[in-house]
Amino acid sequence: MKLNIEGLLVYFPYDYIYPEQYSYMLELKRTLDAKGHGVLEMPSGTGKTISLLSLIIAYQRAFPLEVTKLIYCSRTVPEIEKVIEELRKLMEFYSKETGESNNFLALALSSRKNLCIHPEILHANIVVYSYHYLLDPKIADLVSKELAKKSVVVFDEAHNIDNVCIDSMSVNITRRTLDRCQNNVDTLQNTIHKIKETDAAKLREEYRRLVEGLKEANVARETDIYLANPVLPDEILQEAVPGTIRTAEHFVGFLRRFLEYLKSRLRVQHVVQESAPQFLKDIFDKVCIDRKPLRFCAERLQSLLRTLEIADIADFSAVTLISNFATLVSTYSQGFTIIIEPFEDRTPTIANPVLHFSCMDPSIAIKPVFQRFQSVIITSGTLSPLDIYPRILDFRPVTMASFTMTLARTCLCPLIVGRGNDQVALSSKFETREDFAVIRNYGNLLLEMSAIVPDGIVAFFTSYVYMENIVASWYEQGILENIQRNKLIFIETQDAAETSMALEKYQEACENGRGAILLSVARGKVSEGIDFVHHFGRAVIMFGVPYVYTQSRILKARLEYLRDQFQIRENDFLTFDAMRHAAQCVGRAIRGKTDYGLMIFADKRYARADKRGKLPRWIQEHINDGSLNLTVDEAVQLAKHFLRQMAQPFRQEDQLGLSLLTLEQLQSEEMLQKITQIAHQT
Amino acid sequence: MASLSEEVLLVVKKVRQRKQDGTLYLMAERIAWGPEGKDRFTVSHLYADIRCQKISPDGKAKVQLQLVLHTGESTTFHFANESSALKDREAAKELLQQLLPKFKKKANKELEEKNRMLQEDPVLFQLYKDLVVSQVISAEEFWANRLGGVNNTDPTLFNNKQEVGISGAFLADIRPQTDGCNGLRYNLTADIIESIFRTYPAVKQKYSENVPHNLTEKEFWTRFFQSHYFHRDRINTGTQDIFSECAKQDEKGLKSLVVQGVKNPLVDLLSLEDKTLDEGYGVSTTQPSTSNANRTVKESSNYAIIKRFNHHSAMVLAAGSRKGETPADQASETSSTDGNSRDSDFFQPPVKKVKLQEAIEYEDLQRENRPKTVALNLKKSDRYAHGPVPLQSQQYTTSQDIINSVNYIRHEMANYKPNLTQVVSSTAASSAIVALSPGGVLMQAGAQQAINQMVPSEVQGELKHLYVAAGELLRHFWSCFPVNTPFLEEKVIKMKSNLERFQMTKLCPFQDKIQRQYLSTNVSLQVSFSLVCVLSVVKNGVR
C-alpha cells in the first residue's frame, strides 16, 4: 500500500498495516524533519524494521539533498541478513509499483563475507552492518570515517548499545599479551634493522612526514570529511609527533621501556585500582615516560607498520593493543579506570595477573556518531525506561517514544510467580540461592509447566553457575527425570558449538511434536540472538532476576562513575540492567501478533513496582493485580486457561480494524485519533 | 515322538503342565512337553510361533515359565523339581532367550502382515471371506495388488504402524528398589532394554560382544548399573570397566555431532556475531569464567551432567526418527550439500534463504491466500476453557421466571373466552386428528422410505457385502485395461471367469432368495440387476 505520512508518500510493501507501524513512521518522520536524534521503543514482531526502511527510503527519495544515506546497524549476522531480505522485498515493491528499476544501491557488510571495498560504501544509498563498524574506533577508522554527514544512522536492537560502546574502548592486558608484545617488538627491531641496510630512504621519508605531523588528518576532520576517531583526540592532530619517538629506533626503544613498565605493574600481590592520571604520574616517576609521546603511540605505530610494509597486521595485534592502550590512557583523564588483579577471585592460588583498562563512560565511543550524523535513531523492542539511554549516552533526543502493541487478542500472558505451593518465597537473591526449598519449588514450576505447555519451553537462569547448580540439584532430587516424561531437556553450555547443536535438536523436538525444554542463561548468546517463534517457545520462564555479577571491581567502578557523573543511583542502574535483560529473555517468545506465549517471571521481586515499572510498556500493561505474586498452582491454572484460549483459531478478520488495518480503515478520522495514543511520549 | 533327525538341546524333567507331571524338551526348532510315561508330546510349539516368554517373580512359591504365542494363547510350565526348580527354569529361560530372536526373524513376515491387515480392516476381512474363502478368486490374486500397495489410495492404512518413539525418561523408569539386604534391584523390561539399545548403540554393541560369551545377561546389566556410565558423573570411569569405552564412544559421537555443525544458520551461535572484539579488548568477564582448566570437581561433574542431558536428549530424538525417515534425512543432507558448503562465500544456501524468508514474514500483513478452513465456533469459550460447569443463570430460566410464566398462563386461561362463531365442527376436528395420527392420511410420507425397515438387516448387510465384493472384482478386472501384454490378456480372461463364477455362486442365489422372499419390493433387486448388466457388458467387451 501507499501511505501518506504527513505529506510524505511512503511505499509500504504489504496489503495491511499495524496501527503502531503507522504511528512509528510518524514519529520517525518528525525526527528526520527536525534533523535530530530519536529513541523509539516498539515491541518485536510488530514490523519495526520494515517501517524504518519504508519511511527512511521514502524520505531519501523525496528529499535527496536532506538525507543522502541510511546507515543501518544491527547486532547479529542473522539480524543483518533479515534487514537485507526486508530491503529486497521493499525494493521489489518499489519497482512493481513505480515500474522503474530502482537505482538504489544497498550494501551489507560483514567480516566473514562480502568484505566491502571501501569506496563502494561512499556511493551506497543504504549501508547495513554491525555496530562495531561504527562504534569500534579500530574498525570505524577503516570503514566508516568518510560517511556523509547527512546520513541517518539507525541502531536496531540497541538495548545493549552502552555495553558495545564500553567494550570497544576497553583493554585487558595479561602476561601472555606482554609476551607476545615482546616478540612483536623484537620483530619490529629486526625489520627496521634490515630496512636500514637496504632502504634507508624510506625511514627518512617517514621521519619527514612525522615532522609535518598529523596535519592531514586534522584538515580532513575540520573540513568535515571524516568521522572523528575517539582514539585520536583533536589536540594531537595539530601537533607534530614528539621527537622522542620520531625515529623508528627511538620508537621501538620507547615501546620496550613501556613494556617493561607494564610487566613490572603486573607483578603485584594485591589488587590495585587507580585513575588514568595516577597511572601517568606513576609511569613518569618510574620510567620517565611523558604523557605526550604516549598519546601519539597508536598513530606512531600505524605509521611504522605502514612504512615497514607489514602485510599481516594481525600478527602485531599485541603491540597494537599496547599502543592503543597507551594513547587511550594518556588521552582521557576521565571515564576510565585501571584495575590490576593478581589472580581471579575464585582461584586465589593461581597467579594470573590482568590489567583491566576499563571504559566506564559509553558516551565516549558514541560521541563522534552523535556529533557527526544529523539523525541517529536508537530503537529496540526493549528500551525501558527510555530516559536512561540519553543520560548514559549523553545526547539530546528530539523524540522519545514507546509504542504499545495493539492486539485483537491478548497473546502474551505475563505471570509473576512469587511463591511455591508450600508458600516458600521464590527468589534468586543471594541469601536464598542455595536454599533447597527454593530450588525444589523452581523445579516444581518447570515440571508443572512441562505438563501443560505444548511444544517448546525456554527457561532462563541468572548465570551459568546458578544454572549448573540448579540442574545438578534437580538431577539429584529426581525432578529432571520427571520432566523428561513430558519433554526432552536441552541445556545451554559455555561452548557455542555444543549449544548450537542443542538448539537445533531442541527445535527438531518442538517440530516433531515431542516437545522440549531449553535451559538457558540470561545475558548468554541464546538470550541475545535466538528467537523462539510460535511453537519453538510457548512459554518462557525467567528464574530469578538477572542481576549482573556485582562483585566485579570493574562493575563497581562503573557504578560509582554513573553515580558521580550522571547522578544515576547504583540500584537504579542495576535494576534497569537486570530488567532489560529479563525483558529480552521473555520477549524472545513473542514475535508477532499471531504468535502467543506465556511469560513467567519466577521471583517475588518482580511484583515490586520498581522492578515491574522498568519493563517495557507493551509487557507491563498486561500485568494486572491478578498476576502478581502467584503460587505455582495458581500460575498453572492461569496458564491453562490462557493456552486454551490461544489455541482457538485466529484469523485475519479477527484482527482487521483493531490491530490490523486496511488503507481505508487507516484513513478514517476515528482511527487516526486512536493511533495518536499508541505512541507514548516521555 | 520327535523325528529322529531333530536335535534335542535341553531336557528338563519334573515339569508340570496343567497339573500333570512331565518332561520339557527344547529342540532346534520347537519346544515340546510330554506327560510322564507317555510316548508323545501333548504340547509342542514352534519357536517361530512364540511371541515371548514370561517368568514368575523370584520370590514366588511356584517357579513358572509362560510362553505367549502369536495367536494370543499361552502355555505355562511349572518347574517342580524341589532342589533345582529355579536352576532348571533359568536354564530353559536362557536358552529360549537365545533361540527366540533367531526364529522371530524367520517367522513369515508376509503372513503376519496379511494377518494384521485383515484384523485391522473389517471390510477387507469380509471381502476376503466373500472372495477367497468362497473360492471366487484365489488368495494370491486377492493379495496381488494389496501388499504391493500399487493401487492403495491410502497408503498409511496399509503401511506399518507409526514407529513408537522412546520415552525421554526411560532411564527414570528403572526405579531401583532396595532388596532388603544392602543391595539394589533394578527392574528391567524388554521395552527398557530395547530403549537402552536404541538410544545408546554403544551399549548394544557391548552387549553383543560380551553376552553370553563373557558375561551372562544378568551380569551384564548388573555391571551396567554399577558403572559410572549409568551414574551421573561420567568423569571417573575406571579403565577396567567395560562401559568406559561406551562413555568414550558417546563422547566421540557428541563431538562429531557438534563438529558437523547445524543446518539452520539462524541457530548457529558461532556465526551469530559479525565482528567479535579482538583479543584483549572489551570488558572481560563480568561473570566468573569457568574455563576447563580451573574447574573444581563439583563444577566439572555438574558440567558432565549437563552434557549428558544434551547427549541423552539428542540420542532419544535420533532414535525416534531413525527409522522410516531416512528419505527425509537424505533430502536434507543433499540440500545442505548441493546448497553448498558453509564456507562458500557466493551462494546463499537455500536452507538459509528459506529460514530468512520465514523469519521476516508477517502472515497477517499479507492478504490471505490459504484455503479457507472452518473454525470451531464456540459460543462460550469460557465453558470450553473450564469444562462443564454448573447451571449458568443467563442460559436457563430462573425459578422466578418459571413462576412468573405459570402465573401468566394461569391468568390467560382464566380470562379465556372462546370465540364461538369461528370454531370448527366436531366431525371435522376429529377427522383432522385421525389424519394426523400415525397411519393417517397425512402421515403416509414415511412409507416410501421404509425399505430399510422392510428388509431385515442381514439381507441389507449381505447386499452390501456383495456390492463391495463385486466392486473389488471389477477393480481387478478393469485394472487389466488396456490389455497390451499377454500376461494381462490372461488375467482378463481369468477375471472374466471369476466374475462369472461370482455371478453364479453369489449373485444369482441372492437374487433368487430376494425374489422368493420379497416379491413385492423390487428396489433391492435393482442393485443386483445392475451388477448383472455390468457383467454382461464386460463379457461383450471381452469378446
Side-chain angles (χ1 to χ4, degrees):
Chain A
M1 59 168 79
K2 286 185 247 178
L3 303 165
N4 174 0
I5 311 268
E6 288 189 341
L8 178 72
L9 174 67
V10 175
Y11 284 81
F12 186 73
Y14 289 99
D15 303 318
Y16 303 96
I17 186 169
Y18 299 136
E20 53 270 41
Q21 287 183 312
Y22 182 81
S23 176
Y24 188 88
M25 288 195 248
L26 219 56
E27 293 300 329
L28 193 57
K29 162 135 195 309
R30 288 172 188 163
T31 317
L32 298 189
D33 283 343
K35 295 194 183 357
H37 311 314
V39 181
L40 304 172
E41 177 185 64
M42 182 153 93
S44 45
T46 50
K48 197 175 354 125
T49 307
I50 195 65
S51 311
L52 269 166
L53 292 174
S54 298
L55 189 106
I56 297 176
I57 286 168
Y59 205 95
Q60 239 176 308
R61 288 171 63 100
F63 311 104
L65 296 177
E66 299 296 318
V67 170
T68 54
K69 198 187 289 284
L70 164 62
I71 305 167
Y72 197 110
C73 305
S74 199
R75 279 165 47 82
T76 64
V77 174
E79 289 295 336
I80 290 169
E81 282 165 338
K82 277 189 226 165
V83 174
I84 295 295
E85 213 52 51
E86 301 224 29
L87 198 57
R88 191 168 289 148
K89 188 176 174 109
L90 181 61
M91 287 306 160
E92 273 163 20
F93 184 69
Y94 260 103
S95 41
K96 203 181 99 198
E97 289 293 311
T98 60
E100 56 195 62
S101 64
N102 75 77
N103 45 3
F104 256 61
L105 177 62
L107 201 69
L109 256 76
S110 74
S111 59
R112 285 178 306 121
K113 55 182 192 175
N114 318 338
L115 186 64
C116 137
I117 308 104
H118 165 235
E120 276 187 35
I121 265 206
L122 301 174
H123 303 126
N125 302 87
I126 305 155
V127 182
V128 186
Y129 54 31
S130 128
Y131 279 28
H132 299 281
Y133 288 82
L134 211 48
L135 292 181
D136 187 341
K138 302 176 284 295
I139 314 170
D141 222 29
L142 292 173
V143 180
S144 309
K145 68 175 174 185
E146 290 170 43
L147 290 176
K149 192 171 166 49
K150 287 184 172 176
S151 302
V152 174
V153 178
V154 173
F155 289 106
D156 198 356
E157 304 290 320
H159 45 272
N160 271 340
I161 194 169
D162 51 325
N163 290 333
V164 179
C165 291
I166 282 178
D167 275 342
S168 70
M169 300 290 279
S170 297
V171 174
N172 303 296
I173 298 170
T174 60
R175 271 194 191 147
R176 192 166 157 266
T177 324
L178 295 182
D179 291 343
R180 286 176 49 221
C181 189
Q182 184 75 57
N183 291 338
N184 287 166
V185 172
D186 292 344
T187 320
L188 282 178
Q189 176 112 52
N190 293 338
T191 321
I192 291 168
H193 210 72
K194 258 182 249 161
I195 284 212
K196 217 171 182 182
E197 286 165 1
T198 57
D199 197 359
K202 211 187 246 173
L203 289 172
R204 276 199 300 279
E205 164 60 19
E206 187 199 23
Y207 185 86
R208 193 199 55 76
R209 263 195 293 121
L210 294 173
V211 176
E212 293 275 303
L214 302 170
K215 271 184 198 145
E216 252 173 76
N218 189 35
V219 170
R221 190 176 285 188
E222 278 180 349
T223 52
D224 193 44
I225 298 170
Y226 287 168
L227 169 71
N229 181 344
V231 185
L232 195 66
D234 278 335
E235 305 91 82
I236 72 164
L237 294 175
Q238 281 135 30
E239 298 172 38
V241 174
T244 44
I245 56 171
R246 220 177 279 163
T247 71
E249 289 113 322
H250 284 170
F251 179 57
V252 170
F254 171 84
L255 280 177
R256 275 189 195 286
R257 204 148 30 109
F258 184 53
L259 198 56
E260 285 310 316
Y261 171 74
L262 289 177
K263 278 183 186 165
S264 76
R265 290 305 304 266
L266 281 189
R267 281 190 287 271
V268 286
Q269 298 304 316
H270 53 90
V271 179
V272 177
Q273 179 168 1
E274 60 191 24
S275 65
Q278 280 171 319
F279 181 85
L280 290 179
K281 182 174 182 304
D282 189 64
I283 196 171
F284 184 74
D285 291 349
K286 297 254 173 66
V287 288
C288 290
I289 288 182
D290 212 355
R291 177 164 172 246
K292 200 171 168 190
L294 277 176
R295 298 180 71 182
F296 284 87
C297 209
E299 202 53 30
R300 180 66 191 90
L301 179 71
Q302 291 313 313
S303 166
L304 181 64
L305 291 176
R306 272 198 300 274
T307 309
L308 300 181
E309 289 171 352
I310 285 164
D312 198 358
I313 305 177
D315 291 344
F316 290 87
S317 63
V319 70
T320 312
L321 181 80
I322 299 294
S323 52
N324 277 341
F325 164 64
T327 302
L328 283 170
V329 76
S330 52
T331 303
Y332 296 98
S333 55
Q334 267 207 334
F336 290 85
T337 189
I338 294 163
I339 296 169
I340 307 171
E341 289 176 322
F343 44 73
E344 274 185 52
D345 278 353
R346 292 166 56 258
T347 49
T349 47
I350 306 164
N352 180 24
V354 186
L355 183 150
H356 302 282
F357 176 67
S358 288
C359 177
M360 297 181 295
D361 190 346
S363 70
I364 294 173
I366 206 169
K367 195 173 163 203
V369 177
F370 282 122
Q371 279 180 345
R372 178 167 179 82
F373 301 109
Q374 68 181 27
S375 279
V376 178
I377 310 293
I378 307 259
T379 190
S380 171
T382 56
L383 279 179
S384 293
L386 290 182
D387 56 329
I388 204 160
Y389 287 90
R391 279 163 81 190
I392 57 179
L393 298 179
D394 193 25
F395 72 105
R396 314 270 159 277
V398 291
T399 14
M400 274 206 275
S402 171
F403 303 83
T404 51
M405 173 146 61
T406 56
L407 291 172
R409 59 165 189 180
T410 313
C411 67
L412 62 159
C413 177
L415 299 173
I416 297 174
V417 182
R419 293 169 292 149
N421 292 334
D422 49 5
Q423 302 300 323
V424 168
L426 296 184
S427 177
S428 67
K429 67 177 180 203
F430 188 73
E431 298 81 50
T432 59
R433 190 161 287 186
E434 309 271 303
D435 188 342
F436 270 109
V438 174
I439 294 175
R440 192 190 58 237
N441 274 307
Y442 272 160
N444 192 33
L445 174 63
L446 186 62
L447 175 61
E448 298 271 335
M449 286 297 161
S450 75
I452 61 157
V453 176
D455 302 318
I457 300 179
V458 191
F460 288 100
F461 295 84
T462 54
S463 71
Y464 275 112
V465 181
Y466 187 51
M467 177 173 80
E468 284 185 2
N469 285 338
I470 284 200
V471 166
S473 186
W474 284 351
Y475 176 84
E476 277 156 12
Q477 295 174 27
I479 292 172
L480 287 181
E481 286 179 354
N482 288 324
I483 292 173
Q484 275 182 321
R485 288 178 211 279
N486 301 325
K487 291 182 191 301
L488 294 178
I489 299 174
F490 294 97
I491 307 171
E492 179 177 1
T493 68
Q494 301 200 36
D495 179 321
E498 227 173 274
T499 308
S500 303
M501 197 271 296
L503 256 175
E504 192 169 59
K505 298 281 173 203
Y506 166 81
Q507 293 200 338
E508 197 184 323
C510 293
E511 199 80 82
N512 74 11
R514 195 182 252 280
I517 291 178
L518 183 73
L519 304 182
S520 185
V521 170
R523 297 165 191 277
K525 282 198 164 139
V526 172
S527 74
E528 286 289 334
I530 306 294
D531 290 342
F532 297 97
V533 286
H534 296 293
H535 57 294
F536 293 134
R538 283 302 181 208
V540 179
I541 306 176
M542 182 72 237
F543 288 112
V545 183
Y547 280 109
V548 66
Y549 175 69
T550 46
Q551 297 310 301
S552 127
R553 292 187 185 82
I554 299 170
L555 180 75
K556 281 182 179 158
R558 187 175 169 200
L559 290 174
E560 224 165 87
Y561 185 82
L562 283 170
R563 195 187 55 213
D564 296 347
Q565 295 296 314
F566 301 113
Q567 285 76 50
I568 297 172
R569 283 184 305 163
E570 284 179 23
N571 265 332
D572 283 349
F573 182 80
L574 287 174
T575 309
F576 149 74
D577 183 64
M579 292 312 285
R580 69 172 159 180
H581 281 103
Q584 267 302 304
C585 290
V586 296
R588 293 279 127 197
I590 303 286
R591 299 274 126 175
K593 300 186 177 190
T594 53
D595 200 352
Y596 65 87
L598 288 158
M599 301 175 162
I600 298 171
F601 297 92
D603 194 308
K604 67 167 188 190
R605 291 174 290 174
Y606 284 111
R608 288 190 210 147
D610 69 313
K611 307 280 185 308
R612 241 191 315 150
K614 290 194 169 71
L615 283 173
R617 203 158 72 101
W618 60 276
I619 297 179
Q620 228 184 103
E621 62 189 5
H622 295 289
I623 302 179
N624 49 38
D625 289 345
S627 49
L628 297 178
N629 201 22
L630 303 168
T631 65
V632 172
D633 272 352
E634 285 164 351
V636 167
Q637 288 312 315
L638 288 171
K640 270 187 185 166
H641 189 179
F642 171 77
L643 289 169
R644 285 200 184 130
Q645 275 187 331
M646 287 301 115
Q648 301 304 310
F650 185 58
R651 289 158 307 163
Q652 207 164 40
E653 299 91 83
D654 300 331
Q655 283 205 65
L656 268 177
L658 288 167
S659 53
L660 186 68
L661 303 175
T662 61
L663 190 56
E664 298 79 59
Q665 284 170 331
L666 179 67
Q667 280 160 346
S668 79
E669 199 58 41
E670 189 194 356
M671 186 51 72
L672 291 174
Q673 191 67 38
K674 255 190 208 165
I675 285 176
T676 54
Q677 289 157 18
I678 291 173
H680 183 89
Q681 312 275 347
T682 351
Chain B
M1 195 83 203
S3 60
L4 285 173
S5 59
E6 221 169 351
E7 184 192 357
V8 178
L9 303 173
L10 183 73
V11 179
V12 187
K13 293 205 168 148
K14 287 201 179 170
V15 176
R16 308 187 70 174
Q17 208 266 329
R18 297 214 173 145
K19 306 205 167 154
Q20 249 188 310
D21 279 323
T23 312
L24 185 69
Y25 297 86
L26 272 81
M27 279 157 294
E29 289 187 343
R30 60 178 181 148
I31 182 168
W33 178 86
E36 207 151 333
K38 296 264 172 65
D39 200 18
R40 60 187 170 79
F41 295 139
T42 52
V43 176
S44 165
H45 299 303
L46 289 175
Y47 293 132
D49 291 338
I50 298 172
R51 184 189 291 157
C52 64
Q53 58 166 336
K54 292 177 178 173
I55 55 168
S56 56
D58 277 354
K60 281 276 170 67
K62 279 186 181 176
V63 181
Q64 289 178 319
L65 180 108
Q66 190 185 41
L67 299 176
V68 182
L69 306 186
H70 286 300
T71 55
E73 295 164 41
S74 64
T75 311
T76 310
F77 299 108
H78 174 200
F79 292 81
N81 192 339
E82 274 163 40
S83 56
S84 66
L86 211 58
K87 218 178 73 195
D88 289 348
R89 204 265 313 268
E90 288 304 301
K93 188 197 93 179
E94 295 261 335
L95 188 58
L96 275 174
Q97 214 156 40
Q98 290 167 37
L99 289 169
L100 288 183
K102 285 184 205 156
F103 286 92
K104 236 177 208 161
K105 284 168 207 151
K106 272 197 198 162
N108 193 338
K109 268 268 170 66
E110 206 174 271
L111 207 64
E112 229 172 71
E113 174 74 10
K114 286 175 186 170
N115 203 11
R116 188 187 58 78
M117 280 168 73
L118 288 179
Q119 268 174 13
E120 282 179 359
D121 189 349
V123 177
L124 191 70
F125 187 49
Q126 183 61 45
L127 208 57
Y128 186 81
K129 278 204 288 196
D130 285 344
L131 296 178
V132 182
V133 179
S134 61
Q135 297 183 331
V136 174
I137 59 174
S138 71
E140 250 170 83
E141 276 166 356
F142 181 80
W143 290 113
N145 48 15
R146 294 249 167 232
L147 282 177
V150 189
N151 289 331
N152 285 349
T153 45
D154 185 6
T156 50
L157 198 67
F158 299 102
N159 280 351
N160 273 327
K161 275 203 192 124
Q162 195 181 0
E163 187 77 27
V164 178
I166 293 173
S167 157
F170 70 84
L171 282 178
D173 291 331
I174 322 168
R175 283 249 150 261
Q177 295 159 339
T178 46
D179 61 357
C181 45
N182 260 343
L184 284 174
R185 273 176 54 91
Y186 290 94
N187 281 325
L188 271 178
T189 65
D191 281 347
I192 292 177
I193 293 177
E194 165 84 7
S195 296
I196 294 175
F197 284 166
R198 276 172 71 186
T199 316
Y200 297 108
V203 177
K204 184 174 189 175
Q205 201 194 327
K206 280 284 153 208
Y207 180 85
S208 48
E209 277 172 23
N210 289 305
V211 181
H213 332 294
N214 301 334
L215 300 167
T216 65
E217 170 140 38
K218 196 170 172 183
E219 280 169 345
F220 178 84
W221 291 115
T222 309
R223 290 215 193 166
F224 176 77
F225 289 118
Q226 281 168 348
S227 152
H228 279 287
Y229 185 72
F230 179 68
H231 292 286
R232 46 177 285 176
D233 32 19
R234 273 200 213 158
I235 37 177
N236 304 319
T237 39
T239 39
Q240 80 286 357
D241 191 335
I242 59 166
F243 293 104
S244 62
E245 214 175 294
C246 291
K248 269 181 216 141
Q249 237 165 305
D250 283 351
E251 187 92 348
K252 232 194 252 166
L254 189 64
K255 270 213 185 100
S256 77
L257 270 180
V258 170
V259 169
Q260 261 174 30
V262 290
K263 290 192 191 101
N264 178 358
L266 295 191
V267 300
D268 190 357
L269 295 170
L270 289 172
S271 60
L272 208 54
E273 253 159 84
D274 174 31
K275 174 73 191 168
T276 46
L277 289 163
D278 288 332
E279 198 190 334
Y281 296 96
V283 177
S284 74
T285 59
T286 41
Q287 293 178 19
S289 75
T290 33
S291 57
N292 270 324
N294 47 20
R295 283 170 177 279
T296 62
V297 177
K298 181 162 176 273
E299 276 164 6
S300 34
S301 105
N302 288 352
Y303 180 66
I305 293 174
I306 286 176
K307 264 179 101 162
R308 238 194 92 188
F309 269 101
N310 281 339
H311 182 244
H312 176 81
S313 298
M315 293 307 279
V316 167
L317 198 61
S321 53
R322 211 169 276 147
K323 283 179 194 163
E325 275 182 24
T326 34
D329 233 26
Q330 276 167 354
S332 60
E333 223 140 85
T334 43
S335 76
S336 74
T337 44
D338 71 18
N340 267 311
S341 49
R342 287 151 209 292
D343 42 15
S344 149
D345 283 354
F346 300 100
F347 300 101
Q348 254 193 343
V351 186
K352 182 170 190 172
K353 187 92 179 168
V354 170
K355 293 281 175 194
L356 276 177
Q357 296 277 2
E358 263 171 33
I360 66 156
E361 192 185 83
Y362 291 92
E363 62 212 43
D364 47 348
L365 283 181
Q366 262 137 348
R367 209 152 264 152
E368 275 180 290
N369 44 10
R370 285 173 288 162
K372 287 265 179 218
T373 51
V374 181
L376 178 62
N377 189 8
L378 290 177
K379 286 257 160 49
K380 281 196 159 295
S381 60
D382 268 5
R383 291 196 61 185
Y384 167 74
H386 293 305
V389 286
L391 291 184
Q392 298 213 327
S393 52
Q394 61 269 47
Q395 230 183 357
Y396 295 87
T397 40
T398 62
S399 48
Q400 189 57 46
D401 284 339
I402 294 169
I403 292 166
N404 286 346
S405 39
V406 168
N407 284 340
Y408 180 74
I409 290 169
R410 192 179 290 156
H411 180 74
E412 289 271 285
M413 291 303 288
N415 294 332
Y416 175 67
K417 287 209 178 73
N419 190 353
L420 290 171
T421 53
Q422 293 189 5
V423 289
V424 189
S425 71
S426 59
T427 36
S430 63
S431 76
I433 289 172
V434 170
L436 284 168
S437 304
V441 187
L442 292 174
M443 301 299 278
Q444 287 292 313
Q448 261 108 31
Q449 76 209 22
I451 280 173
N452 59 344
Q453 285 161 20
M454 289 162 66
V455 180
S457 56
E458 312 91 70
V459 179
Q460 285 179 44
E462 202 176 334
L463 179 64
K464 220 180 274 172
H465 293 152
L466 283 174
Y467 178 74
V468 173
E472 173 71 15
L473 283 173
L474 286 172
R475 194 171 64 78
H476 278 277
F477 177 76
W478 288 118
S479 69
C480 303
F481 291 92
V483 189
N484 46 16
T485 62
F487 170 73
L488 281 175
E489 199 178 327
E490 197 182 310
K491 193 174 173 194
V492 163
I493 293 165
K494 208 164 59 196
M495 281 302 147
K496 186 189 143 240
S497 64
N498 282 346
L499 281 167
E500 282 165 354
R501 203 177 321 136
F502 183 68
Q503 191 183 15
M504 289 309 293
T505 57
K506 293 267 169 177
L507 283 185
C508 294
F510 183 67
Q511 205 173 350
D512 291 347
K513 190 171 116 191
I514 298 287
Q515 271 167 346
R516 245 181 291 120
Q517 290 179 357
Y518 309 95
L519 215 54
S520 59
T521 53
N522 56 0
V523 184
S524 59
L525 297 179
Q526 278 171 7
V527 177
S528 40
F529 276 130
S530 61
L531 286 175
V532 175
C533 291
V534 170
L535 294 183
S536 59
V537 168
V538 165
K539 277 181 226 166
N540 290 333
V542 173
R543 276 185 217 117

